Amino acid sequence: MTPPAVAVIGAGIAGLACARGLFGAQKPVTLFEKSRGLGGRLATRRVGRMAFDHGAQYVVAREPALQDYLDLACTTGYAQSWVPVAPGLPRLEPWIVGSPGMSSLLQPLAAGLDVRRAVRIVACQRRVGEWWLKTESGDELGAYDTLVLAIPAPQAFDLTRDLNDGFEIASRLGAVKMAPCWAVMAGFPERFDTSADLFKAEGPLTWAARDVSKPGRRSPHDCWVLHASPDWTREHIDAKPSAVGDALLPEFEKLVGPTPRGPYLDAHLWRYARVEQPLGEPCIWDPVMRLGVCGDWCLDARAEAAWISGTELAKKVLAGG
Ligand code: FAD
């Protein structure tokens, strides 16, 4: 008889931390990830010889277990400490970035795990005590004894609202609020002079960072990531990426001065970027349905919160009750 297995939907830091905890306790676990890459919002977009960390910019660890993991990632070459030129910006703990890109940061965490990439789960059903998953291409996957949703709360809401007995979980998920963020990737043929590598601002742009100031980036180009504010993003949620780049470049120039002509510009919409109204507890676990939900949105808008959430959910799954 095969041992009871766990399906984890989502291979961001929460899903990987949860799966790692289960795997370490010999629990068979399979992750399903809709993208071809791992890491979710810890992401890197590569375009020719340019690369942009267009999601999370750096990770800070206050939890000793995450600190240990980041140390491991640094000693194995998957991460380094980033010290940008940013006069006046407080920096209490080391800022750790993936190397050569943010998406590399989770490689050691994913090592040895069974991750099925490019598989989007569009529905889940509990039948006679077993979980079955339906993929976008119409396949049915199962049977799993336990299901973990390690995805943003609004997406977990969509997967749980039609479940028998899923009403309570769906209503808790429905109370979580997440803000969107347009991220612009701006590449210039060569480095231009600025007073800093990092600007925080108020207005349409809240963040502009020189990606090539991060360690391990070898691009000959000058690559910047610009993050729009939640308000600006909401006002422009249906805009085309090219229009977003064109609209935010002048805002960027207000911070750095004139930039070289003819930049590469693209934009990515993070529809669920940062939590505004968190759940207020580390995760959701229903021992009767054997259904768990985790993610940064449980606690805070930071990668560390996602790690804590996934790790805590693994403990609850293993404890069973
Ligand atoms: P995610 O990373 O969103 O992972 C969820 C995964 O599930 C994704 O890979 C997704 O593709 C997958 N998925 C979703 N639905 C399905 C489905 N139906 N089927 C299969 N797979 C699915 N945090 C920091 O600590 N420092 C920062 O500087 C920072 N800056 C940020 C800047 C931006 C613009 C954004 C967007 C976020 C930032 N964050 C930052 C927050 C940080 O990125 C998140 O807290 C963290 O990455 C969330 O991890 P997660 O695993 O909970 O979710």
Side-chain angles (χ1 to χ4, degrees):
M1 196 178 126
T2 48
V6 183
V8 177
I9 302 179
I13 185 169
L16 289 169
C18 184
R20 173 60 53 192
L22 298 170
F23 182 79
Q26 323 299 326
K27 193 99 176 146
V29 51
T30 305
L31 290 114
F32 298 97
E33 169 55 52
K34 69 180 160 95
S35 306
R36 273 171 296 156
L38 302 180
R41 282 170 274 162
L42 301 188
T44 306
R45 170 89 59 90
R46 292 190 171 78
V47 187
R49 296 177 72 190
M50 296 184 289
F52 304 90
D53 292 341
H54 57 308
Q57 297 296 292
Y58 60 86
V59 175
V60 161
R62 293 171 194 146
E63 280 282 310
L66 179 57
Q67 183 62 65
D68 289 348
Y69 174 73
L70 295 181
D71 289 347
L72 170 78
C74 287
T75 52
T76 50
Y78 290 104
Q80 296 190 54
S81 174
W82 178 37
V83 188
V85 175
L89 197 73
R91 194 169 151 279
L92 303 176
E93 300 100 345
W95 287 3
I96 302 299
V97 296
S99 184
M102 206 59 182
S103 57
S104 315
L105 186 69
L106 301 181
Q107 292 290 327
L109 191 61
L113 296 178
D114 177 10
V115 188
R116 314 279 165 91
R117 300 168 189 235
V119 180
R120 181 195 288 266
I121 304 301
V122 293
C124 45
Q125 267 193 341
R126 188 149 172 86
R127 290 187 223 139
V128 224
E130 291 176 334
W131 282 105
W132 287 84
L133 310 177
K134 193 169 169 200
T135 70
E136 196 173 30
S137 50
D139 296 329
E140 267 216 317
L141 307 171
Y144 297 96
D145 138 87
T146 303
L147 177 63
V148 166
L149 306 178
I151 58 183
Q155 294 172 324
F157 175 84
D158 287 344
L159 286 181
T160 51
R161 66 179 164 191
D162 295 330
L163 287 174
N164 290 335
D165 305 324
F167 175 77
E168 201 217 317
I169 288 185
S171 67
R172 292 171 75 195
L173 291 169
V176 173
K177 298 281 171 271
M178 295 190 79
C181 176
W182 270 114
V184 171
M185 294 153 272
F188 303 91
E190 58 204 30
R191 237 171 136 112
F192 59 93
D193 283 340
T194 54
S195 60
D197 293 328
L198 174 53
F199 297 84
K200 278 188 161 187
E202 288 178 10
L205 270 189
T206 56
W207 173 274
R210 175 177 263 143
D211 230 272
V212 287
S213 72
K214 293 181 176 176
R217 273 60 171 176
R218 296 213 168 78
S219 176
H221 305 283
D222 204 355
C223 301
W224 287 78
V225 169
L226 324 176
H227 286 157
S229 70
D231 286 349
W232 193 92
T233 301
R234 284 191 175 102
E235 281 162 28
H236 298 82
I237 200 96
D238 295 322
K240 292 206 166 77
S242 58
V244 170
D246 290 345
L248 290 177
L249 188 63
E251 298 296 329
F252 177 49
E253 291 190 323
K254 286 182 194 164
L255 300 173
V256 297
T259 57
R261 294 178 62 149
Y264 163 85
L265 278 181
D266 197 3
H268 176 86
L269 176 65
W270 296 103
R271 203 168 278 280
Y272 307 114
R274 292 194 184 86
V275 66
E276 290 180 323
Q277 176 61 56
L279 179 74
E281 51 192 289
C283 59
I284 296 176
W285 170 240
D286 183 321
V288 177
M289 297 174 79
R290 296 200 62 81
L291 172 63
V293 199
C294 61
D296 61 338
W297 49 269
C298 291
L299 296 169
D300 195 2
R302 298 191 304 119
E304 184 172 32
W307 162 284
I308 294 170
S309 178
T311 305
E312 290 301 312
L313 181 53
K315 288 181 195 161
K316 289 199 186 287
V317 172
L318 292 170

